[in-house]
């Protein structure tokens, strides 16, 4: 089971700034998002989120490597790997719809869990965050398309 590493606001704001989508977000947005966010640690092979669940948090990889995959008839397939600085399954967070994939730590991982509703509220007010989120979603899509 994951465990909470810290809830110190300064560390959370700093870690938010280390994630790609928050580089252009204003400082007020990072501070607002730090409220209610948590750093969580995961052991190798520990599940972070499960496909079919509704997203309650946006997960950003602070340290480690995470695999995104899908399950079908007790078989598991890894579809992509996510490294430090990237977020998991932004599409589900933005649309508030179920995850279409699962995420599991490949190595020991530290993940920033940001309340999904707060993230959606931040997008509504911060143009820098909107643009960075659009770039991240487009990049994620192109990285998974073999024709790109």
């Amino acid at each position: 089971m994951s465990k909470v590493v810290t809830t110190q606001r300064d560390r959370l704001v700093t870690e938010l700034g280390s994630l790609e989508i928050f580089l252009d977000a204003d400082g007020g947005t990072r501070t607002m998002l730090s409220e209610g966010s948590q750093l969580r640690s995961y052991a190798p092979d520990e599940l972070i989120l499960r496909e079919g669940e509704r997203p309650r948090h946006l997960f950003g990889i602070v340290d480690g490597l995470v695999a995104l995959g899908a399950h079908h008839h007790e078989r598991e397939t890894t579809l992509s790997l996510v490294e430090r600085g990237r977020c998991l399954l932004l599409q589900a967070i933005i649309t508030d719809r179920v995850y279409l994939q699962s995420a599991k730590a490949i190595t020991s991982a530290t993940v920033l869990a940001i309340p999904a509703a707060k993230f959606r509220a931040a997008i509504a007010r911060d143009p820098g965050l909107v643009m960075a989120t659009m770039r991240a979603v487009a990049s994620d899509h192109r990285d998974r398309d073999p024709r790109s």
Side-chain angles (χ1 to χ4, degrees):
M1 180 59 98
S2 69
K3 62 182 177 189
V4 175
V5 177
T6 184
T7 57
Q8 296 175 337
R9 178 184 259 181
D10 291 342
R11 173 133 188 242
L12 293 171
V13 171
T14 299
E15 296 298 355
L16 275 163
S18 74
L19 299 174
E20 290 178 10
I21 64 169
F22 296 107
L23 292 177
D24 296 330
D26 68 46
T29 296
R30 287 193 294 271
T31 299
M32 182 268 289
L33 288 172
S34 72
E35 298 165 8
S37 294
Q38 299 175 329
L39 284 171
R40 298 179 180 177
S41 63
Y42 293 87
D45 292 324
E46 189 172 359
L47 195 64
I48 298 170
L49 59 89
R50 183 181 317 274
E51 65 187 290
E53 291 180 346
R54 231 186 163 84
R56 294 189 337 227
H57 295 90
L58 168 63
F59 294 100
I61 309 304
V62 173
D63 191 37
L65 185 64
V66 173
L68 294 177
H71 297 83
H72 183 68
H73 296 298
E74 298 183 27
R75 295 181 119 173
E76 182 179 338
T77 300
T78 297
L79 300 170
S80 63
L81 299 175
V82 183
E83 299 177 307
R84 174 179 169 72
R86 306 290 298 265
C87 291
L88 302 175
L89 305 172
L90 277 165
Q91 302 89 332
I93 304 303
I94 294 165
T95 61
D96 193 20
R97 297 180 68 188
V98 299
Y99 295 119
L100 298 179
Q101 299 173 33
S102 294
K104 162 174 89 167
I106 297 297
T107 64
S108 294
T110 304
V111 176
L112 182 59
I114 304 158
K118 277 195 170 202
F119 178 74
R120 286 189 292 274
I123 286 176
R125 65 180 266 283
D126 187 333
L129 181 57
V130 170
M131 292 304 297
T133 300
M134 287 177 24
R135 282 191 302 271
V137 170
S139 177
D140 287 348
H141 177 72
R142 289 196 59 88
D143 289 348
R144 289 185 186 94
D145 186 339
R147 298 169 293 167
S148 58

